[in-house]
Amino acid sequence: MEKKKLITDDGIRYDGRKLDELRPIKFQIGTLKNADGSAYVEWGRTKILVGVFGPRESHPKHLALADRCYIRARYHMAPFSVEERKSPAPSRREIELSKVMREALEPAIFAEFFPRTTIDIFAEVLQADGSTRCAAISAASLALTDAGVPMRDLVSSMAVAKVEGKLVLDVIDQEDKQGDSDMPMAIMPSKNVITLIQMDGLLTHEEFIQSVELAKKGCMEVYAKQKEALEEHFKKTMDREEV
Amino acid sequence: MEKKKLITDDGIRYDGRKLDELRPIKFQIGTLKNADGSAYVEWGRTKILVGVFGPRESHPKHLALADRCYIRARYHMAPFSVEERKSPAPSRREIELSKVMREALEPAIFAEFFPRTTIDIFAEVLQADGSTRCAAISAASLALTDAGVPMRDLVSSMAVAKVEGKLVLDVIDQEDKQGDSDMPMAIMPSKNVITLIQMDGLLTHEEFIQSVELAKKGCMEVYAKQKEALEEHFKKTMDREEV
Amino acid sequence: MEKKKLITDDGIRYDGRKLDELRPIKFQIGTLKNADGSAYVEWGRTKILVGVFGPRESHPKHLALADRCYIRARYHMAPFSVEERKSPAPSRREIELSKVMREALEPAIFAEFFPRTTIDIFAEVLQADGSTRCAAISAASLALTDAGVPMRDLVSSMAVAKVEGKLVLDVIDQEDKQGDSDMPMAIMPSKNVITLIQMDGLLTHEEFIQSVELAKKGCMEVYAKQKEALEEHFKKTMDREEV
Amino acid sequence: MTNQIIPSVKRKQIIELAESGKRTDGRSLTDMRPVEIQTNVIEKAEGSATVRLGDTYVIAGVKFAIGDPFPDIPNDGVMSVSAEFVPLASSEFETGPPDENAIELARVVDRGLRESKLLDTSKLCIIPGKKVWIAWVDIFILDHRGNLMDAAALAGLSALLTSKMPKAEVSGEEVKVTEEFVPVPLRAIPVNVTMAKIGDKLFVDPSLEEEEVMDCRLSVAFAEDDQKQEKICAMQKGGSGTLTPEELLRAVEIAKVKSQELRKHLPSGGK
Amino acid sequence: MTNQIIPSVKRKQIIELAESGKRTDGRSLTDMRPVEIQTNVIEKAEGSATVRLGDTYVIAGVKFAIGDPFPDIPNDGVMSVSAEFVPLASSEFETGPPDENAIELARVVDRGLRESKLLDTSKLCIIPGKKVWIAWVDIFILDHRGNLMDAAALAGLSALLTSKMPKAEVSGEEVKVTEEFVPVPLRAIPVNVTMAKIGDKLFVDPSLEEEEVMDCRLSVAFAEDDQKQEKICAMQKGGSGTLTPEELLRAVEIAKVKSQELRKHLPSGGK
Amino acid sequence: MTNQIIPSVKRKQIIELAESGKRTDGRSLTDMRPVEIQTNVIEKAEGSATVRLGDTYVIAGVKFAIGDPFPDIPNDGVMSVSAEFVPLASSEFETGPPDENAIELARVVDRGLRESKLLDTSKLCIIPGKKVWIAWVDIFILDHRGNLMDAAALAGLSALLTSKMPKAEVSGEEVKVTEEFVPVPLRAIPVNVTMAKIGDKLFVDPSLEEEEVMDCRLSVAFAEDDQKQEKICAMQKGGSGTLTPEELLRAVEIAKVKSQELRKHLPSGGK
């Protein structure tokens, strides 16, 4: 891959955004019929569909927990979602991201309300252009709400990267690959707690502190979009019910 | 693979047969000791051994059906059965043919007589020279009979291909690979119903109707050979019992 | 691999040993905290760690035996244990050696004392320089003792090879690869019975009889070292308990 | 163990309605559900399409990659069709490698596309005997509400119809992929029509409810070449029931008519 | 949980009979069951054989393919022996990849064939360090009625003994397989004899019934070279029982005699 | 179903003790357990180390092999980190392919080593675009008593720090591995520090007991380059609990201090 300059001297990024500007993000709730809850997100060119099943009977039974719901999550990429066709078998990266996604969502779920049951969260990445785990987690928290799973809060997620010496918000593929660091974060916005943080690359202590601040700002913007989508969805549902 | 002409101007095929002529087909029943029922068939150079176990306890138990017998089938090719050594792991083709074989045989089995049990049908292709699914299905219905499974009818199977513009009966490898279409069919002969039909290749509507007719004729010839084999087998068994 | 002469005219081997001389062998008992019993052996450059769990509840349950303990064994090589990195997935060789190791140890275990339970024996080869199965079996019988599993006897194991026309005791890698035969054997020394014997290569009947004699002598030397290690271990344990 | 009571009640109801030519969702026996096809939905793929067939929802993507030809056809490119029953599509689907249903689906769609001679694989050759284009057609089931076969076939076909293929330049043994794209060499167009048999009736484009109680299904693919010549190019019976020869011939007649209807929904080639 | 009552009754009966030198199927302790070998049963294979040892029924096929040599023996061809316990052979066998029993069987047969120097792999080299012949020996168990080890070894051996090998022509780096066949380069012939130990007796060629109650088994392979020189070339104890040193030596004596008997059933080389 | 009573009692006890800055094993909240590193323990590996962190016991081995570069970085060698949770290490571990915990561990260790720019992979190139060195770093957990992350990272690092690399000679397209060894091209050194959050306290280097009742853990790796410049190079939260922003920043402060402490235990480079 050829390295081009990704940020102009005026602080304009590869795709025309400012350093702390998000891509267009659009959530759609309830797009699937079979799933108990679902959400679709277009996050720039990143496109992800999430379906939730449950709480339902645990199968196999030995997975059942006596005091709370067992939560499973799968992050999976379609073969055509990336530049080079990806084998449909789950890669090591997908297995790690499935774990990380589950652990980012679990704190928001009142799992103790549903002992001995299972909730399944399935995220399919249809097109990947950076920040897929952030998009998947944010969409999944909407799908869980759509499924009627009682939640402490939504989970909103955003990544910050250091590219050509500058911190940038909402990372695209090109920036991720050429950048010096990548830091995805997820929070429960109204609780002000972090449910996901990962980082790789080189950051000074100071840069790290700034990254966390910037990520938080991004998460709050995602949160606003999530709430908008929820309102729109409930409005539609109510309209339909009134008919 | 070099393409030779497969049919002479006089309508004589690669292996000397006429267009609607079957290869020598020989069924042998009860060739295995451990299996509850078994049959071996030499169908030209195609050689297949079928073993049946059951009705027996379902394992694992969650497979058990409350109102009928659970039927499993496996179509499998030995590594040495084809020109190029085949890996013994089941290919996608073998998995599809296992399903198709099961569905061709199920209608003939009084599955409702044996709720909560399983019948296993295992077909091993020892040598493959075309029409292996037809041979496997036809032999399997004899193995089921040998196992004492109550049957509505035998299942008899035959393939028709279009080769060099002509419809031919009982397709060999060479004809399958060079031909324009392949259509395996299976019927319950005394019921006049179809339990298997697949087709690929290009056929006009008219040619398709002719193919079905020709396949049916072939199935009836197979049926005659199956009945012969059964008679011979029962005769032998009775002779043995009388001794 | 280049073939060098492995035995001098004076009967001195590649690594300086005499024909019937063992490498330095050192057993250490109780090296692991989590395992119910464990032993580590340095057998020349061959280094193996064995951990034993059980008797414990059988899982899955259908493995449970009504009249005795179910014994599982795994012989496994670390990727860095051999010249060329080995894939961590179990090879066919490792699967066979797991079976052979289990069957060499089973006769020594009072399995009938623990019906419906399972004992797991896990051997990890950290470095392989010949005679790994002998070292694993010998160490495993100490790990079983450390786990408190009641034993009829220890199991002591040793391999004999024919190299450049001569029978040699305690085979290293180089001798195994260039040699004409390899014969690992295991015995219960105080019972004078054989629990493992395998052989490959070409031996006359006479050479075979001599090989068995020589292997037995080697096993007895291993037995002495095993007993030493046990005494030392029990002494340490008692010292600790007295404090 | 599977409960068999609810399906048998449903089955009775479906059969009774069908006596007067009706179905539980208001369709006649030969009506398809509404068809909606969107193409170029995945910009990173060389071709892509989503298909909604009623509430059944399927996506297909096409990727081209350079690979080795099969030894017995050294001068032909390769088309590889896979289908994944993604677990979000149904509470019945599970994670793991494709099961027999996903494999059958992929192989039937593959045969339909292949046997119609849709794709001219001879034009996918880069260096004869050494390097060819592989067209990966991946079909993902996103919502399973019946008749996956037709939805998947439509999605795979639509993705191929709107694919652009990268262009390779050869100098000696070296292959370089250029930035340029060329149209995919397509010929006859296959369309698949599936019918469920329940009792003695045929139900075109069966819903999930109908599939749960059907005796068997029959899928028939008709290909139409550039002279508007129509031929049968693939057929597959599924399920444990039987068909009479008359039912088989009737089904083929129906498929011929319905495939013409479906053709109107297809995207026009190139993109 | 496995029921242990029936086997222990059977075991008692078998041991009592053996006291007077008899077995449940009428054989003496050192009798083999009838051996029947048929060769060239699979025309598409380069070599093949079925073996019936009593009611135990095994088939082996040999295929030659061109492949890469192992890096540490670049000038030698490769022999690869696999065994599959096909599920139709026993109600105990299951579908899936080979289990430890199938792997042990294949590896013991492999060692017998390999260590006897039966196959001269140096003559399977096509281009040193680059291309060699791989001889795939696939053994399928078709009916398991005891002593698979000897039946499988006989089948693999008989298939190799009657194999013909394709001939390759080399020009530069190009390899072309001709229509011609040449004999497989064979040397010493190994024959495997298995005995079960039950109580303090050795049972040659154990039946399934005997295997179910045995303490352990011992397999001994003797190789005979062209000077009629006999050597032990492979040995394997199986099962959880023990052998005394005297029993071991006795077993080897018996195997020596019985392997000579078995040799008479072998097909003559070439085909 | 998992019993939840014992853990909740333990958790209460651990939290109460922590109020007065103590832990069940006598450490303060910021104390690491004793660290013991042994290197060159596997002579056949190009580098190796065992690490004992309290009773947690881990081994790592490094092997160099010649392989193909990734197409997108044709002039760089490859480092591949795997972790195996060997079943003898814990009654909870099972045989089989690595589970999500083993994969996460390997990937976090890998990122720490990789993102610190520890290994200069550009110097692992043999023939640009064709042949490069692959450094296989295999980490085996031998006894799991808590904080595998730090123990594994230390083991992998120590094995790499003391590795010697084989030297390859190139003539044309031919690569020959010589008997000579050269030092591995290393740069900045990463050290990982993990803390468990239980209640509102952070526990450095958590024991197994603490991990069983923790809310979540945070691992932070600091890299130090040859100018003694320190930077954060990897971070990973694990577990289902949450962190406040203040806890996150505090944890990073602690990790900075503790990583300096751990550095003193590292083996000096080369061997």
Side-chain angles (χ1 to χ4, degrees), chain C residues 64 67 92-93 96 99 102-103 106-107 116 192-195 197-203 205 208, chain E residues 1 4 81 100-101 103-104 106-107 111 115 231-237 239-240 242-243 245 256:
Chain C
D67 60 344
R92 290 162 57 89
R93 180 179 168 276
E96 186 201 343
K99 178 176 189 287
R102 187 187 71 231
E103 293 176 345
E106 271 186 311
R116 292 156 207 263
N192 193 26
V193 291
I194 295 163
T195 70
I197 184 146
Q198 294 183 284
M199 202 280 282
D200 55 71
L202 288 170
L203 287 182
H205 201 143
F208 170 70
Chain E
M1 287 182 296
Q4 299 296 320
V81 178
E100 62 169 28
N101 295 305
I103 287 172
E104 186 194 26
R107 285 179 55 85
R111 284 198 290 265
E115 299 296 339
K231 288 190 177 171
I232 303 171
C233 68
M235 189 176 297
Q236 180 95 345
K237 181 210 152 219
S240 308
T242 62
L243 290 168
K256 197 172 184 175

Side-chain angles (χ1 to χ4, degrees), chain D residues 136-195:
Chain D
W136 292 100
V137 181
D138 282 289
I139 299 170
F140 267 48
I141 307 302
L142 299 178
D143 219 351
H144 173 17
R145 305 288 288 182
N147 196 7
L148 297 181
M149 207 64 101
D150 294 357
L154 273 178
L157 174 65
S158 300
L160 273 169
L161 282 176
T162 56
S163 282
K164 44 187 190 171
M165 208 175 97
K167 205 178 152 183
E169 268 172 13
V170 179
S171 58
E173 297 283 285
E174 294 283 309
V175 176
K176 221 190 105 187
V177 179
T178 67
E179 301 275 301
E180 223 180 308
F181 285 89
V182 294
V184 176
L186 299 178
R187 298 179 298 197
I189 310 294
V191 168
N192 199 67
V193 175
T194 295
M195 290 142 284

Side-chain angles (χ1 to χ4, degrees), chain C:
Chain C
M1 188 182 311
E2 213 179 315
K3 287 209 184 181
K4 328 187 183 186
K5 202 160 179 309
L6 289 183
I7 304 181
T8 67
D9 297 341
D10 307 345
I12 299 301
R13 291 152 75 183
Y14 187 72
D15 58 0
R17 282 184 290 151
K18 287 184 236 146
L19 298 181
D20 65 347
E21 187 182 344
L22 271 55
R23 290 177 280 179
I25 294 176
K26 199 174 162 359
F27 294 103
Q28 222 178 309
I29 297 172
T31 48
L32 297 179
K33 295 287 172 183
N34 280 328
D36 295 322
S38 59
Y40 173 68
V41 64
E42 291 192 2
W43 184 300
R45 299 210 306 167
T46 289
K47 298 177 184 185
I48 297 177
L49 188 57
V50 181
V52 166
F53 289 91
R56 58 182 176 180
E57 206 187 335
S58 290
H59 176 78
K61 279 189 184 161
H62 68 83
L63 295 178
L65 302 173
D67 60 344
R68 61 202 156 88
C69 178
Y70 181 75
I71 295 168
R72 281 192 297 205
R74 184 175 105 129
Y75 166 100
H76 185 249
M77 301 183 95
F80 45 76
S81 64
V82 281
E83 292 301 339
E84 304 280 317
R85 182 196 184 248
K86 192 208 146 284
S87 154
S91 66
R92 290 162 57 89
R93 180 179 168 276
E94 284 167 292
I95 292 171
E96 186 201 343
L97 288 198
S98 296
K99 178 176 189 287
V100 149
M101 181 172 93
R102 187 187 71 231
E103 293 176 345
L105 292 164
E106 271 186 311
I109 298 171
F110 281 103
E112 57 274 31
F113 289 7
F114 310 102
R116 292 156 207 263
T117 66
T118 293
I119 292 177
D120 278 301
I121 304 164
F122 299 120
E124 286 296 327
V125 179
L126 302 178
Q127 184 159 266
D129 188 15
S131 301
T132 54
R133 84 195 66 182
C134 300
I137 289 167
S138 304
S141 84
L142 293 177
L144 282 162
T145 308
D146 184 39
V149 173
M151 306 277 286
R152 291 187 172 79
D153 198 354
L154 289 176
V155 179
S156 310
S157 183
M158 181 51 65
V160 169
K162 183 175 164 196
V163 177
E164 295 169 5
K166 298 198 173 67
L167 297 180
V168 301
L169 196 56
D170 187 10
V171 186
I172 59 171
D173 224 22
Q174 201 78 359
E175 292 171 339
D176 185 18
K177 278 176 186 143
Q178 273 184 236
D180 298 314
S181 77
D182 183 25
M183 190 192 85
M185 194 169 104
I187 63 172
M188 285 165 38
S190 65
K191 306 273 176 192
N192 193 26
V193 291
I194 295 163
T195 70
L196 163 82
I197 184 146
Q198 294 183 284
M199 202 280 282
D200 55 71
L202 288 170
L203 287 182
T204 64
H205 201 143
E206 191 50 41
E207 284 167 342
F208 170 70
I209 294 171
Q210 289 165 13
S211 294
V212 172
E213 274 313 301
L214 193 55
K216 207 175 141 186
K217 169 183 171 316
C219 289
M220 294 311 291
E221 292 189 41
V222 169
Y223 183 45
K225 284 171 196 291
Q226 287 172 305
K227 283 191 295 185
E228 250 173 61
L230 274 176
E231 267 166 44
E232 200 179 321
H233 177 61
F234 286 131
K235 199 158 156 290
K236 255 197 240 160
T237 317
M238 285 178 63
D239 288 356
R240 220 177 297 139
E241 275 168 7
E242 277 171 18
V243 176

Side-chain angles (χ1 to χ4, degrees), chain F:
Chain F
M1 289 183 294
T2 315
N3 187 318
Q4 299 296 318
I5 296 169
I6 295 165
S8 80
V9 171
K10 247 196 212 162
R11 184 179 153 92
K12 207 170 151 239
Q13 183 194 355
I14 286 172
I15 288 178
E16 282 171 3
L17 256 176
E19 286 302 320
S20 48
K22 286 184 198 148
R23 294 162 82 169
T24 53
D25 56 7
R27 286 186 285 162
S28 83
L29 293 180
T30 56
D31 281 349
M32 307 271 316
R33 290 170 293 175
V35 178
E36 201 185 308
I37 300 177
Q38 258 189 297
T39 56
N40 300 336
V41 292
I42 302 299
E43 297 88 347
K44 289 200 173 188
E46 271 85 82
S48 60
T50 55
V51 168
R52 288 187 187 271
L53 186 58
D55 286 332
T56 288
Y57 184 28
V58 171
I59 189 169
V62 175
K63 299 288 288 183
F64 283 88
I66 295 175
D68 302 333
F70 287 115
D72 52 338
I73 37 169
N75 304 329
D76 281 19
V78 175
M79 181 181 69
S80 169
V81 178
S82 309
E84 191 104 347
F85 284 19
V86 178
L88 56 70
S90 163
S91 62
E92 307 290 310
F93 293 173
E94 278 171 34
T95 55
D99 70 355
E100 62 169 28
N101 295 305
I103 286 171
E104 186 194 26
L105 180 76
R107 284 178 56 85
V108 171
V109 171
D110 179 282
R111 285 198 290 264
L113 297 175
R114 189 180 305 278
E115 298 295 339
S116 67
K117 319 284 186 211
L118 166 70
L119 189 64
D120 186 352
T121 51
S122 72
K123 299 208 171 130
L124 266 54
C125 186
I126 302 172
I127 305 176
K130 300 222 165 132
K131 289 291 162 207
V132 299
W133 284 110
I134 300 173
W136 293 100
V137 182
D138 283 288
I139 299 170
F140 267 48
I141 308 302
L142 299 178
D143 218 351
H144 174 18
R145 305 288 288 184
N147 197 8
L148 297 181
M149 206 65 99
D150 295 356
L154 273 179
L157 174 64
S158 301
L160 273 168
L161 282 177
T162 55
S163 281
K164 44 185 192 174
M165 209 175 98
K167 205 177 152 184
E169 267 171 15
V170 180
S171 59
E173 296 285 285
E174 293 283 309
V175 177
K176 220 191 106 188
V177 178
T178 67
E179 301 274 301
E180 224 180 307
F181 284 89
V182 295
V184 176
L186 299 178
R187 297 177 301 197
I189 309 294
V191 168
N192 199 67
V193 175
T194 295
M195 290 142 284
K197 177 182 168 186
I198 308 172
D200 57 359
K201 297 276 189 301
L202 296 173
F203 294 67
V204 170
D205 178 28
S207 67
L208 187 57
E209 201 184 40
E210 287 161 355
E211 286 183 351
E212 279 163 2
V213 303
M214 71 182 176
D215 298 299
C216 62
R217 61 168 161 70
L218 186 73
S219 300
V220 183
F222 272 92
E224 192 182 83
D225 62 21
D226 33 19
Q227 273 87 47
K228 297 277 173 195
Q229 285 269 8
E230 262 190 333
K231 288 190 175 169
I232 304 172
C233 68
M235 188 175 297
Q236 181 94 345
K237 181 209 151 219
S240 308
T242 62
L243 289 169
T244 65
E246 298 69 40
E247 286 166 346
L248 173 64
L249 299 183
R250 182 148 51 89
V252 171
E253 296 283 358
I254 294 171
K256 197 174 183 172
V257 175
K258 304 312 288 183
S259 67
Q260 284 300 348
E261 250 181 71
L262 273 174
R263 255 171 231 293
K264 294 176 193 137
H265 294 280
L266 291 179
S268 55
K271 81 172 174 184

